[in-house]
Amino acid sequence: MAAVDLRAYGVADAIMQRAREASGLEDPVVGRVLSQAHELYRVVGEQGELFAETAGKLRHAARSAADFPAVGDFVLLDRADDASGRAIIGQVLPRTSAFVRKAAGASFEQQVVAANIDTAFLCMSLVGDFNLRRLERYLTLAWEGGAVPVVVLTKADACDSLERRLRAVQSVAFGVDVLAVSSMEKGGCEAVRPYLRPGRTVALLGSSGVGKSTLVNRLLGEEVLETRDVRADGRGRHATTRRQLVLLPGGGLVMDTPGMRELGLGDAAEGLEQGFADVERLFASCRFSNCTHTSEPGCAVYEAIADGELSERRWQAYRKLKAEAAFAEDKAGYLAQKERRYKDISKAVRRLPAKR
């Protein structure tokens, strides 16, 4: 079996140094997770691809699902058995970035969607399910996770209002590159190629049916990933059912991910600060330093809304995500603060003179 150059899979000198420090070995066995199926992982190491399971010590020490290996993770292999093609994952190396969402449902468990990505392609269709509020949520999570977001607008060939929709996206994606692509036209995906460099990892994130798998197939030059047509109502069908990391022929790695209909926030203070920089910069201009941006005189937020500088929809989207992040960070504290606020309002109402 020919040796694999792990630098093509993103194993740079910094990763090897991190592996030596974590293992205490001068020559640790390092791999990268390419895909996962339940508790079995497909990992690439110097000897090629192997199937791997987590060591009992790792499972015992894990405090949550986020502590287990995720696609894109660099891992230490305790044992790589060439004969059986199996390995044991002993440790997950510290992540340089991660796209993390709250798991679907009532649980507050964090789910690592993609690990150690350099660029997050936030894919949204220009036709059908075009949703700026969802895009704001993706941008917040990408900034929070440490990856550089790039908005990739798909199906440009089918959009008859391209310029208007580009302006709409640019109004919420401050400081972010916005690309319009078409997988149906020759050369329609060339705009994304400058981001695909050897050793660098790009993750495609977005709802079902926006064309993530089709875009990966165009970049690969062959139909490797399954694709499906969208439904009659414009909503996507799940073609990709698991995350997988793919090495491109010309260098660079792309990670295809299943569509996400639920995208809950955890603690995302930094992501909100970057994703809503246009909103948060207004706070410094309020007349009062403790302005709550509700009814105080001299509130810069409401002056910006009145002047048309800030849309009411964007302000309400910020408030919603801010409340969601605060709840995720400190559920008990958030509920206590909310209860105190309602009590203060009730007391104020009781002090009002009765109507005659």
Side-chain angles (χ1 to χ4, degrees):
M1 184 182 294
V4 173
D5 183 359
L6 288 181
R7 289 175 297 182
Y9 287 90
V11 183
D13 292 342
I15 299 298
M16 289 305 301
Q17 180 59 33
R18 204 172 298 151
R20 284 189 283 269
E21 293 171 356
S23 66
L25 301 174
E26 184 58 32
D27 191 22
V29 181
V30 177
R32 192 168 194 192
V33 179
L34 300 180
S35 64
Q36 176 187 0
H38 302 292
E39 296 181 357
L40 190 65
Y41 302 85
R42 186 164 60 91
V43 179
V44 62
E46 285 187 340
Q47 301 306 314
E49 292 187 14
L50 299 163
F51 286 104
E53 298 174 312
T54 53
K57 184 178 178 180
L58 190 158
R59 292 195 297 270
H60 181 73
R63 292 170 296 178
S64 69
D67 293 328
F68 283 87
V71 177
D73 267 328
F74 299 104
V75 296
L76 289 175
L77 301 176
D78 286 348
R79 184 175 74 249
D81 188 338
D82 295 336
S84 66
R86 291 294 179 101
I88 300 297
I89 297 174
Q91 293 185 56
V92 177
L93 294 177
R95 294 163 180 145
T96 57
S97 68
F99 188 92
V100 181
R101 68 164 181 168
K102 185 179 79 66
S107 169
F108 284 91
E109 190 87 349
Q110 297 292 299
Q111 179 188 26
V112 180
V113 177
N116 299 304
I117 57 176
D118 300 293
T119 306
F121 278 179
L122 309 181
C123 301
M124 184 169 71
S125 173
L126 282 160
V127 295
D129 200 15
F130 183 83
N131 190 318
L132 293 179
R133 304 287 79 85
R134 187 191 303 114
L135 177 60
E136 288 170 332
R137 191 172 285 263
Y138 272 99
L139 284 164
T140 298
L141 288 173
W143 283 123
E144 182 67 25
V148 176
V150 173
V151 178
V152 178
L153 302 173
T154 62
K155 307 182 183 181
D157 58 296
C159 180
D160 56 7
S161 54
L162 180 59
E163 291 302 321
R164 179 169 58 83
R165 294 215 151 173
L166 282 172
R167 287 194 298 271
V169 169
Q170 289 162 348
S171 73
V172 302
F174 294 94
V176 174
D177 291 346
V178 179
L179 313 175
V181 302
S182 169
S183 297
M184 297 296 105
E185 297 179 341
K186 185 177 180 180
C189 300
E190 291 305 304
V192 306
R193 290 200 182 273
Y195 301 89
L196 303 168
R197 304 195 299 275
R200 307 286 285 180
T201 303
V202 172
L204 277 65
L205 304 155
S207 302
S208 300
V210 300
K212 299 188 298 296
S213 298
T214 302
L215 177 56
V216 174
N217 285 337
R218 295 297 175 271
L219 295 172
L220 287 169
E222 55 182 320
E223 301 295 313
V224 173
L225 304 184
E226 181 186 359
T227 61
R228 295 182 185 176
D229 294 332
V230 296
R231 301 184 327 202
D233 60 3
R235 296 179 68 87
R237 291 187 173 96
H238 286 290
T240 301
T241 57
R242 59 176 179 164
R243 294 173 286 281
Q244 50 189 322
L245 188 62
V246 180
L247 180 65
L248 296 176
L253 299 124
V254 291
M255 186 186 303
D256 191 24
T257 64
M260 293 175 281
R261 293 202 176 106
E262 290 188 42
L263 201 64
L265 263 65
D267 178 12
E270 291 185 18
L272 283 167
E273 182 179 348
Q274 291 182 281
F276 286 84
D278 58 318
V279 174
E280 295 207 348
R281 69 175 175 78
L282 295 170
F283 299 162
S285 301
C286 290
R287 182 184 302 176
F288 302 107
S289 60
N290 62 344
C291 184
T292 62
H293 319 297
T294 52
S295 59
E296 294 90 342
C299 175
V301 172
Y302 280 94
E303 288 177 359
I305 292 173
D307 294 341
E309 181 185 347
L310 177 68
S311 73
E312 177 70 26
R313 285 185 176 182
R314 182 152 172 84
W315 169 238
Q316 294 303 329
Y318 172 82
R319 291 186 63 190
K320 180 180 179 180
L321 295 180
K322 187 76 171 177
E324 190 175 324
F327 182 76
E329 182 180 11
D330 182 7
K331 180 180 178 182
Y334 175 83
L335 293 175
Q337 183 182 25
K338 190 173 181 179
E339 184 177 359
R340 286 195 300 271
R341 186 161 61 246
Y342 283 138
K343 285 182 178 178
D344 291 342
I345 293 172
S346 298
K347 288 178 182 178
V349 170
R350 286 197 297 271
R351 286 196 295 268
L352 293 174
K355 292 184 178 180
R356 298 184 181 277

